[in-house]
């Protein structure tokens, strides 16, 4: 980052995740917004672009969308913001929230546990819940998507008062 004055770090996580912790000097354009306006975003990014998220999955999806829109020089930061911080990178911390990935692990684990306990204590049919979650996680891994993450990202605790609009997110870019 120090050797590239023309580097733009684009964080594609939700505004709430960005508010919790982000790379100093990065810009927040959440993935759903970027997906809808990839052409407009790509037009603004004529420099070196590094895409970041929590783990690299959403950043990879953003790179695919931006490639389709004509921006082919975008790179993905492996390991996301946590890896950047662990390597000694300069991050800005805000409100303490659980990452979306951690929320998915908690929800999936809790549902599997409830299904298994319900299957033993209530009815064996309740254990179908555990199987359904397992099938959903398998599908999620195979398709590199996360339906549970999409649902959780819309929950009130994952919203901020300043969720960016397409106009504000795009206009903030250099």
């Amino acid at each position: 980052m120090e050797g590239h004055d023309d580097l733009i770090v684009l964080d594609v996580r939700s505004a709430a995740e960005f508010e919790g912790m982000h790379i100093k000097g990065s810009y927040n354009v959440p993935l759903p917004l970027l997906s809808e306006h990839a052409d407009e975003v790509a037009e603004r990014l004529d420099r070196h672009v590094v895409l970041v998220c929590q783990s690299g999955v959403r950043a990879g999806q953003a790179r695919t969308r931006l490639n389709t829109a004509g921006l082919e020089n975008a790179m993905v930061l492996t390991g996301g913001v946590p890896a950047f911080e662990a390597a000694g990178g300069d991050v800005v911390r805000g409100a303490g929230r659980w990452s979306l990935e951690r929320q998915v692990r908690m929800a999936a684990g809790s549902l599997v546990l409830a299904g298994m306990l319900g299957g033993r204590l209530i009815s064996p049919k309740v254990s179908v819940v555990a199987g359904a979650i397992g099938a959903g996680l398998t599908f999620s891994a195979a398709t590199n998507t996360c339906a549970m993450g999409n649902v959780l990202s819309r929950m009130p605790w994952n919203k901020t008062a300043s969720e960016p609009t397409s106009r504000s997110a795009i206009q903030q870019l250099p």
Side-chain angles (χ1 to χ4, degrees), residues 91-117:
V91 297
V92 177
R93 290 194 170 276
R97 288 188 175 94
W98 280 15
S99 70
L100 198 55
E101 179 185 359
R102 186 175 180 190
Q103 291 177 51
V104 167
R105 290 193 318 257
M106 176 59 90
S110 297
L111 288 168
V112 168
L113 182 60
M116 295 302 294
L117 288 174

Side-chain angles (χ1 to χ4, degrees), residues 36-130:
E36 287 182 30
H37 302 278
D39 292 332
E40 294 171 69
V41 172
E43 286 176 17
R44 299 289 298 252
L45 302 175
D46 59 349
R47 304 172 183 186
H48 290 94
V49 177
V50 176
L51 300 164
V52 298
C53 63
Q54 190 66 24
S55 65
V57 173
R58 286 177 280 177
Q61 293 170 351
R63 178 175 55 190
T64 300
R65 287 178 174 90
L66 289 171
N67 282 347
T68 302
L71 181 73
E72 297 178 3
N73 66 340
M75 296 176 286
V76 173
L77 179 64
T78 304
V81 177
F84 183 81
E85 179 188 35
D90 195 4
V91 297
V92 177
R93 290 194 170 276
R97 288 188 175 94
W98 280 15
S99 70
L100 198 55
E101 179 185 359
R102 186 175 180 190
Q103 291 177 51
V104 167
R105 290 193 318 257
M106 176 59 90
S110 297
L111 288 168
V112 168
L113 182 60
M116 295 302 294
L117 288 174
R120 285 199 167 250
L121 302 173
I122 299 169
S123 166
K125 293 178 182 178
V126 177
S127 61
V128 170
V129 170

